[in-house]
Amino acid sequence: MILTVTLNAALDVTYRVEALVRHATHRVAEVQERAGGKGLNVARVLHGLGEPVRATGLLGGDTGARVQRLLIADGIASDFHSVADETRRTVAVVDSDATGFWEPGPVVTPEEWNAFQARYASLVREAAVVVLSGSLPRGLPVDAYATLITAARDAGARTVLDTSGDPLRAALSADPDIIKPNLSELRTLLFVLDAEDGADDADERWPTSEANIAGGAGAVRVLGPGAVVVSRGPDGLLAATPEGLWRARPPETLTGNPTGAGDASVAALARGLRDRAAWPDVLADAVALSAAAVAAPVAGTVDPETATRFRTTINVTRMTAEGDTRPGPPLASSAESAAPTTADVKESPAC
Amino acid sequence: MILTVTLNAALDVTYRVEALVRHATHRVAEVQERAGGKGLNVARVLHGLGEPVRATGLLGGDTGARVQRLLIADGIASDFHSVADETRRTVAVVDSDATGFWEPGPVVTPEEWNAFQARYASLVREAAVVVLSGSLPRGLPVDAYATLITAARDAGARTVLDTSGDPLRAALSADPDIIKPNLSELRTLLFVLDAEDGADDADERWPTSEANIAGGAGAVRVLGPGAVVVSRGPDGLLAATPEGLWRARPPETLTGNPTGAGDASVAALARGLRDRAAWPDVLADAVALSAAAVAAPVAGTVDPETATRFRTTINVTRMTAEGDTRPGPPLASSAESAAPTTADVKESPAC
């Protein structure tokens, strides 16, 4: 079973309007609601693929009750801990594009956090892999993910972490098996690690060339994570792993809604980790699910057949020949499934 | 006791943002929630003034549960009927002004409507005045307010109706004691009554001169309502009553938030009806509460002391000397409290 953890869950509300006009009143013809937060998006993708999954985290108040009810309607097994404060809403007003309003979410008390950890400790005993996603609600210590990763390892579960900023930085030394920063999150991490630099001239000082991404992923990996899988939007993934550096690209640039594409790739990383699959297979699966999410008519959903069709078209390349011997996720050798390799890291003109 | 009826109640959500930017994501620092819908606004004003009030209507789903909880927190006595579908939210994003998103609200089944009417029949037996406010949710017959007004009269209660469009038109012949259209609602009513006219050239064909408003209010009154009190925004009220035509004006134009000002004036009309107060007093109270709502720091709230201070400054003028003999709200004679009168209707240069 894969356990997803969503500490700052949300009720995602979408309003479709003809055109958003500032300072006007809009009668919304159609309201869509979804149980949201990155961890729940991962759970939804896994459930849609038929993978056994359970969702945990924190829910509070009437909005939390609504999220719980939507999860039940979706058939997603869940075991959330209740908090007193209200779960947040995110409101997306969609005309030709989305305008978003994100509530701040609950303030969690130390007692609630302790009670959640006790519940989590019993849940991870049944989990092969734990996926920890998204921001931390107010009130939690910045090393909350570090604590949960350590507890998962103690219970024999592997971990995928998809968060950003300080909670990500504070979790690196807990040695999560995989982290999945996007380019902006990786850059923030590198700039914070190199504390003398400001972020104002980030684009100039750290252009997102493939060489920089590869170097950055490798640098972060030294700090603890078994693998650093960097999501590059339409350019696919670049992964620093115990078996070397990998690049996985979709065959073409897809048009569609990128919302939830990152969560779909995390779902693939989680089931690859559970199955101890070879890195090229895991990365091809991650790019395929991500592409299927972009192509889906409903944001963040994945049609399994579309994903299967995409999977055969993903180009996975080993960028370095040598692996290393640091302990990482115990994945199978990838030699038999590796696509054409290149021996050196080149800058991609697309970056 | 005054009973307020809110058939299409709402959870009013306010997001304060620095500046609404289309197609951007806004992190909302502050979320305000309020039990909303015009009837609940009336109940809140009456409760704030210390008047015995009970709120009824329809609430559904998790959003309905949230509204119920907010009413309890506000100390407003309520007796709502549950429906299966979700109560609507209204989201107001406020920067220098408000941008609104109004959900459509629940679809009410015939069984739910019948069950509500049974509950309402027992509630009106304890009510001196029933206030019926706002739009009808989908699924209700257009003459829903007519039915409720008749049931109230059968139980010995008087009625104030504040709605618009077809539900207002369909309720006129049920003879509500007072209706309170604003200028736009009055115009719509007159144009629908005169069915050969289109509404495209409304401003040209029916400018909102005082003579037109007075004539229109009188014409509508002939169709059933005991009194037609037209709210004119900063210009105050114009009322066609069984005791003649009245104009009530605030002494100066107030700056502030006009949201809820109409509901505050309805609260005054309801308690005036309950107390069988003289029309000049009722109208002065209505303009004073409305002005206090505009001046209030929180939209739609009324500070009793501010209202008392404003009340002495309201200019109430009898526009016609003669009353008529049609049965209307049994109010006391207004001769002793009437302000200076004018014998004819003049166009106001402010209109």
Side-chain angles (χ1 to χ4, degrees):
Chain A
M1 182 264 284
I2 296 171
L3 180 70
T4 69
V5 178
T6 313
L7 296 173
N8 206 2
L11 177 65
D12 287 344
V13 181
T14 302
Y15 293 155
R16 246 163 233 293
V17 300
E18 284 232 351
L20 193 165
V21 180
R22 191 162 170 244
H23 298 169
T25 294
H26 307 72
R27 289 190 184 270
V28 177
E30 191 196 343
V31 180
Q32 288 176 333
E33 286 188 339
R34 207 174 61 161
K38 290 159 78 73
L40 286 177
N41 295 342
V42 173
R44 186 178 296 103
V45 169
L46 288 168
H47 178 69
L49 295 168
E51 304 291 356
V53 62
R54 184 175 294 177
T56 187
L58 304 170
L59 287 175
D62 295 301
T63 305
R66 181 84 190 139
V67 170
Q68 180 66 72
R69 223 179 298 273
L70 291 168
L71 284 174
I72 291 168
D74 285 345
I76 297 172
S78 65
D79 195 338
F80 273 80
H81 186 71
S82 287
V83 296
D85 213 352
E86 283 282 320
T87 288
R88 67 198 169 112
R89 285 168 292 219
T90 71
V91 176
V93 179
V94 178
D95 47 15
S96 62
D97 200 348
T99 305
F101 304 97
W102 291 22
E103 297 186 5
V107 177
V108 179
T109 67
E111 293 71 29
E112 289 169 338
W113 171 230
N114 287 337
F116 170 75
Q117 287 181 74
R119 187 177 205 129
Y120 172 83
S122 82
L123 287 169
V124 288
R125 282 199 288 272
E126 300 166 44
V129 172
V130 180
V131 177
L132 307 114
S133 302
S135 60
L136 295 178
R138 293 171 291 173
L140 290 198
V142 71
D143 64 352
Y145 281 132
T147 304
L148 298 183
I149 288 164
T150 302
R153 185 182 309 100
D154 291 349
R158 293 186 192 83
T159 50
V160 183
L161 175 64
D162 182 16
T163 187
S164 59
D166 288 340
L168 172 56
R169 191 166 56 94
L172 295 177
S173 61
D175 302 347
D177 289 290
I178 301 177
I179 67 169
K180 192 218 64 63
N182 61 26
L183 288 178
S184 150
E185 289 160 356
L186 177 62
R187 196 203 323 249
T188 302
L189 204 54
L190 292 168
F191 273 70
V192 173
L193 290 173
D194 183 2
E196 285 175 43
D197 294 315
D200 285 348
D201 55 351
D203 270 325
E204 269 171 56
R205 298 203 53 250
W206 199 78
T208 51
S209 66
E210 195 161 76
N212 273 345
I213 300 167
V220 171
R221 192 172 162 257
V222 169
L223 297 170
V228 177
V229 180
V230 183
S231 56
R232 305 165 66 192
D235 292 327
L237 299 173
L238 192 153
T241 79
E243 294 170 30
L245 201 60
W246 298 86
R247 176 206 296 125
R249 277 181 183 277
E252 56 192 290
T253 300
L254 291 165
T255 55
N257 189 337
T259 308
D263 299 326
S265 68
V266 168
L269 297 175
R271 73 170 173 183
L273 198 56
R274 179 199 63 192
D275 299 343
R276 298 165 188 258
W279 272 108
D281 293 342
V282 175
L283 296 172
D285 193 31
V287 174
L289 288 193
S290 179
V294 170
V298 176
T301 60
V302 172
D303 172 48
E305 285 180 26
T306 307
T308 303
R309 188 156 44 78
F310 279 139
R311 200 165 297 128
T312 59
T313 69
I314 309 298
N315 183 16
V316 183
T317 315
R318 181 173 233 164
M319 297 167 69
T320 52
E322 76 286 354
D324 74 19
T325 54
R326 291 186 50 251
L331 300 178
S333 163
S334 53
E336 70 282 6
S337 56
T341 59
T342 56
D344 58 347
V345 175
K346 289 183 200 141
E347 293 207 9
S348 158
C351 289
Chain B
M1 184 264 284
I2 296 171
L3 180 70
T4 69
V5 178
T6 314
L7 296 173
N8 206 4
L11 177 65
D12 288 344
V13 181
T14 302
Y15 293 156
R16 246 161 233 293
V17 300
E18 283 232 353
L20 193 163
V21 180
R22 192 163 169 243
H23 298 169
T25 295
H26 307 72
R27 288 190 184 270
V28 177
E30 190 195 344
V31 179
Q32 288 176 334
E33 286 188 338
R34 207 175 60 162
K38 291 158 75 74
L40 286 177
N41 296 343
V42 173
R44 186 177 296 104
V45 170
L46 287 168
H47 178 70
L49 295 168
E51 303 291 355
V53 63
R54 184 175 294 178
T56 187
L58 304 171
L59 287 175
D62 295 302
T63 306
R66 181 85 190 138
V67 171
Q68 181 65 74
R69 222 179 297 273
L70 291 168
L71 284 175
I72 292 168
D74 284 346
I76 296 171
S78 65
D79 194 338
F80 273 80
H81 187 69
S82 286
V83 296
D85 213 354
E86 282 282 320
T87 288
R88 68 199 167 110
R89 284 168 290 217
T90 71
V91 176
V93 179
V94 178
D95 48 15
S96 62
D97 200 349
T99 305
F101 303 97
W102 291 21
E103 297 186 4
V107 177
V108 178
T109 67
E111 293 71 29
E112 289 169 338
W113 173 229
N114 287 337
F116 170 75
Q117 287 180 72
R119 187 178 205 129
Y120 172 83
S122 84
L123 287 169
V124 287
R125 281 200 288 273
E126 301 167 43
V129 172
V130 179
V131 177
L132 307 114
S133 302
S135 60
L136 295 178
R138 291 171 292 172
L140 289 198
V142 70
D143 64 352
Y145 280 132
T147 304
L148 298 183
I149 288 164
T150 303
R153 186 182 311 99
D154 291 349
R158 295 186 190 84
T159 50
V160 183
L161 175 64
D162 182 15
T163 187
S164 59
D166 288 342
L168 172 57
R169 191 167 56 94
L172 295 177
S173 62
D175 301 348
D177 290 290
I178 301 177
I179 66 170
K180 193 220 63 64
N182 61 27
L183 288 178
S184 150
E185 289 160 355
L186 177 64
R187 196 205 320 252
T188 302
L189 204 54
L190 292 167
F191 272 71
V192 173
L193 290 173
D194 183 3
E196 286 177 42
D197 293 316
D200 284 349
D201 56 350
D203 270 324
E204 268 170 55
R205 299 203 52 251
W206 199 79
T208 51
S209 66
E210 194 159 79
N212 274 344
I213 299 167
V220 170
R221 194 174 161 254
V222 169
L223 297 170
V228 178
V229 180
V230 183
S231 55
R232 307 165 65 192
D235 291 328
L237 300 172
L238 192 153
T241 79
E243 294 170 31
L245 201 60
W246 299 86
R247 177 205 296 125
R249 278 181 182 276
E252 56 191 289
T253 301
L254 291 165
T255 55
N257 189 336
T259 308
D263 300 326
S265 68
V266 168
L269 297 175
R271 74 170 171 183
L273 199 56
R274 179 199 63 191
D275 298 343
R276 299 166 187 257
W279 273 108
D281 293 342
V282 174
L283 296 172
D285 193 32
V287 174
L289 288 194
S290 179
V294 170
V298 177
T301 59
V302 171
D303 172 47
E305 284 180 27
T306 306
T308 303
R309 188 156 44 80
F310 280 138
R311 200 164 299 128
T312 59
T313 69
I314 310 298
N315 183 17
V316 183
T317 315
R318 180 173 234 164
M319 296 167 68
T320 53
E322 76 285 357
D324 74 18
T325 55
R326 292 186 50 251
L331 300 176
S333 162
S334 54
E336 69 282 7
S337 57
T341 59
T342 58
D344 57 349
V345 175
K346 288 185 199 137
E347 294 208 8
S348 158
C351 289

